[in-house]
Amino acid sequence: MGSNGLSGTEKKVAFSLASVFGLRMMGLFMIMPVFALYGQHLQGFSPLWVGIAIGAYGLTQAVLQIPMGILSDKYGRKPVILGGLVLFAIGSLIAASADSIYGVVLGRAIQGMGAIAAAVLALAADLTRDEQRTKVMAIIGMCIGASFALSLLVGPIVAQHLGLSGLFLMTAGLAILGMLIVHFLVPNPISHAPKGDTLAAPAKLKRMLMDPQLFRLDAGIFILHLVLTAVFVAMPLDLVDAGLVKEKHWMLYFPAFVGAFFLMVPLIIIGVKRKNTKGMFQIALMIMMVALATMAAFSQNLWVLSIAVVLFFTGFNYLEASLPSLIAKFCPVGEKGSAMGVYSTSQFLGAFCGGMLGGGAYQLLGAVGVFMVAFGLMLVWLMLTIGMKNPVLLKSYTLEAAVKDKTHARDMAAQLSQLMGVVEAIVVLDEKVAYLKVDEHFDLREARAVLGSAH
C-alpha cells in the first residue's frame, strides 16, 4: 500500500464517520426551513420562540463541545460518540412528543448536548496515518456540506407528509442509524492520535482567542452561523408572503444550494491561482451582503428573492468551506485541536444567538428587519477582514519522534528547524511526536532521519 492513497481501512473510517457526522447534522438542520411554517399549532408559538427553538441546540453544543472531546480522550471515542447519539435521539423524541414550543426547545437543547464533533474528528485521526489525515477530514467536511443540502430538500418534504412530529421521529431514527454504523462499521482504535491535532487544551484557549488572525476567523464563523439561523427564521415566512406555498419551498432551496455550490468554485480557483484568499473572502462577504439587501428590498417579489437565495448560498458555501482551512493555516504548529475547539464553539454559539436575534427581530421589525440586521452584521465582518493576512500556502505534518527527554526534544526541534523547507517545528515529549509546518522545498526523508522514526 503506497502512502499516496487511502488504505481500505482508512476509506472505511472516512465514509463511516462522515455518514455518522452527516446523519446527525442533517437531523439538526432539517428543522430550519420548516419550523416557522409547520410549528404554528404549538402552544406558545411566536417568532421569538421559533428562533430559540431553531438555535437552542447551539447553546448546549457550544458549552459541551470541548468537554466531550476531553471525555473521549479519557473514556474512549466510541463510548462518548454513542452516548452523544443516545442524547440526540432522546432530544428528538422529546421534541416529537411536545405539544408546546417550550417542549421543542427542551428537545433541541438535549439534541445539542450530544456534542460529538470533537470525538468523531479525534477518532478519525486515531484511525488514519498522518499523511492521509487531511484527506479523511476533507471527506467528513464534504459530507457535512452535503447533509445541509439534503436537509433543505428532505426537511420540507418530510414535514409536508409526516408533520413536525414525524420529522423529529425521523431525526431520532437517523441517530439510531448512526449508532449502528459506529458499532458495526467503525474500527476500534488501538492508539490515540497526537492531541495537538485533534483535541482542545483548555490552557491554550485564551491564547487562541488573543491571536488577531484566529480571532477574525472565530468572529467570522460566529457571524456566519448567526446570520444563517436568523435568515431561516424569516425566510420561510417571507417566501409564503411572496406567493410560494410551503409545500414547494424545497423546489427553491435545494436547486439554489446546489447551483450556488458550482458558482463558488471559480472563487476558490481564482483565490488559489492568484494567492489572494483574502480578496476572494471579501468578495464572498459582499455577495452575501448584496443577497441580504436584495431580500430586504424585494421581499414580495418571488423571482428576485429566488436570485437572492442563490447569491446568499454562493457566499455562504465559499465562506463555510474556506474558514476551517484558514484556521489550520493560521494556528500555531501543534495546536490545531485547540484552535478548532474555539472555532466550533464560536460556530454553535452563533447558531444560538442567530435564533434569538432572528426571532426577536422578526417579532419587532418583520422579515425586512431581520435581513437588514443580518446585513449590518456582515458589514461588521467585512470591516474585521481589513487587517486579515493572506495565508502562506504551507503543509502540516505530524510525525513520530523517538525522543528520550526534554533536552533531546529541544535539540531535535532545533535540528528540524534548520532543515530546508521547515517554517516551524515543535517536538512534544509527552506525545512523542513532532509537529511541522513546511513549504514546497521540504524533504520528508530528512525530517524522519532527524526524528529517528522507524518509517
Side-chain angles (χ1 to χ4, degrees):
M1 176 70 219
S3 62
N4 292 328
L6 295 176
S7 68
T9 299
E10 285 167 338
K11 287 176 184 174
K12 186 178 179 183
V13 168
F15 289 104
S16 59
L17 288 178
S19 300
V20 172
F21 217 130
L23 289 170
R24 183 176 174 278
M25 297 311 286
M26 191 170 159
L28 287 172
F29 290 145
M30 279 196 300
I31 187 180
M32 290 179 70
V34 301
F35 189 65
L37 302 173
Y38 288 88
Q40 296 181 10
H41 66 283
L42 294 169
Q43 181 188 337
F45 180 91
S46 72
L48 175 60
W49 280 99
V50 166
I52 293 172
I54 290 175
Y57 80 94
L59 180 62
T60 47
Q61 185 109 317
V63 170
L64 293 173
Q65 188 69 24
I66 291 172
M68 289 281 275
I70 294 168
L71 283 176
S72 79
D73 204 42
K74 187 173 183 180
Y75 296 108
R77 314 290 190 218
K78 277 189 159 185
V80 167
I81 294 169
L82 290 168
L85 289 169
V86 168
L87 282 171
F88 186 81
I90 290 170
S92 301
L93 293 173
I94 289 171
S97 61
D99 55 10
S100 73
I101 201 160
Y102 316 114
V104 173
V105 170
L106 175 63
R108 290 282 284 173
I110 293 172
Q111 280 184 329
M113 288 172 69
I116 62 171
V120 169
L121 294 176
L123 180 55
D126 292 344
L127 293 167
T128 53
R129 293 165 293 162
D130 53 76
E131 61 266 33
Q132 299 301 331
R133 201 165 289 151
T134 304
K135 294 179 188 174
V136 173
M137 297 301 180
I139 290 168
I140 292 173
M142 286 188 288
C143 197
I144 294 170
S147 70
F148 183 72
L150 275 175
S151 70
L152 298 177
L153 171 67
V154 175
I157 293 173
V158 172
Q160 179 188 346
H161 291 96
L162 302 178
L164 203 58
S165 62
L167 188 146
F168 281 119
L169 287 172
M170 181 177 171
T171 64
L174 293 177
I176 292 167
L177 179 57
M179 287 182 237
L180 294 173
I181 292 171
V182 171
H183 186 72
F184 291 108
L185 295 182
V186 179
N188 290 307
I190 297 166
S191 62
H192 280 187
K195 294 179 187 178
D197 270 350
T198 55
L199 294 174
K204 295 176 180 175
L205 299 182
K206 184 179 178 183
R207 183 151 38 118
M208 299 297 111
L209 288 166
M210 299 298 287
D211 184 297
Q213 296 302 324
L214 293 177
F215 175 79
R216 285 183 176 86
L217 301 174
D218 294 330
I221 194 64
F222 174 85
I223 292 172
L224 186 65
H225 278 260
L226 187 157
V227 167
L228 176 72
T229 311
V231 163
F232 269 104
V233 173
M235 177 60 70
L237 297 165
D238 202 32
L239 288 174
V240 169
D241 291 343
L244 185 66
V245 293
K246 61 185 181 182
E247 290 80 12
K248 292 186 177 180
H249 282 200
W250 67 269
M251 294 182 185
L252 168 59
Y253 291 138
F254 185 70
F257 190 88
V258 174
F261 177 81
F262 289 103
L263 287 173
M264 77 154 183
V265 172
L267 292 176
I268 294 173
I269 294 170
I270 294 167
V272 171
K273 277 190 174 180
R274 297 187 180 175
K275 296 184 179 179
N276 188 19
T277 302
K278 176 182 174 179
M280 293 303 105
F281 201 86
Q282 291 172 326
I283 287 172
L285 284 170
M286 287 187 276
I287 288 171
M288 283 190 74
M289 290 171 67
V290 168
L292 290 164
T294 304
M295 290 174 187
F298 298 94
S299 61
Q300 299 301 310
N301 188 317
L302 184 56
W303 286 106
V304 178
L305 271 179
S306 301
I307 294 168
V309 170
V310 174
L311 289 174
F312 179 86
F313 281 137
T314 300
F316 175 85
N317 285 347
Y318 178 83
L319 295 165
E320 181 81 357
S322 301
L323 282 164
S325 64
L326 289 172
I327 287 279
K329 287 182 175 77
F330 282 122
C331 74
V333 66
E335 297 184 8
K336 185 179 174 184
S338 298
M340 290 304 294
V342 174
Y343 172 84
S344 297
T345 300
S346 303
Q347 175 181 339
F348 294 123
L349 271 178
F352 172 69
C353 293
M356 291 194 68
L357 185 66
Y362 189 90
Q363 201 154 309
L364 293 171
L365 305 168
V368 173
V370 174
F371 300 141
M372 289 313 298
V373 169
F375 178 90
L377 286 165
M378 296 302 291
L379 181 60
V380 170
W381 188 5
L382 185 62
M383 295 298 105
L384 279 173
T385 64
I386 290 172
M388 179 179 166
K389 295 177 183 175
N390 264 315
V392 181
L393 297 177
L394 301 174
K395 288 183 74 174
S396 295
Y397 282 93
T398 304
L399 303 173
E400 292 176 20
V403 60
K404 299 165 189 170
D405 52 39
K406 283 186 179 179
T407 304
H408 189 203
R410 280 197 297 271
D411 291 344
M412 201 176 268
Q415 288 180 61
L416 289 168
S417 298
Q418 298 301 314
L419 296 178
M420 183 177 287
V422 175
V423 176
E424 197 175 352
I426 183 171
V427 178
V428 182
L429 175 62
D430 294 343
E431 300 177 29
K432 295 199 180 302
V433 294
Y435 296 105
L436 306 176
K437 277 195 175 180
V438 303
D439 62 24
E440 69 271 16
H441 303 297
F442 174 68
D443 187 332
L444 184 59
R445 290 169 297 182
E446 290 182 0
R448 283 189 163 145
V450 170
L451 293 166
S453 173
H455 292 286

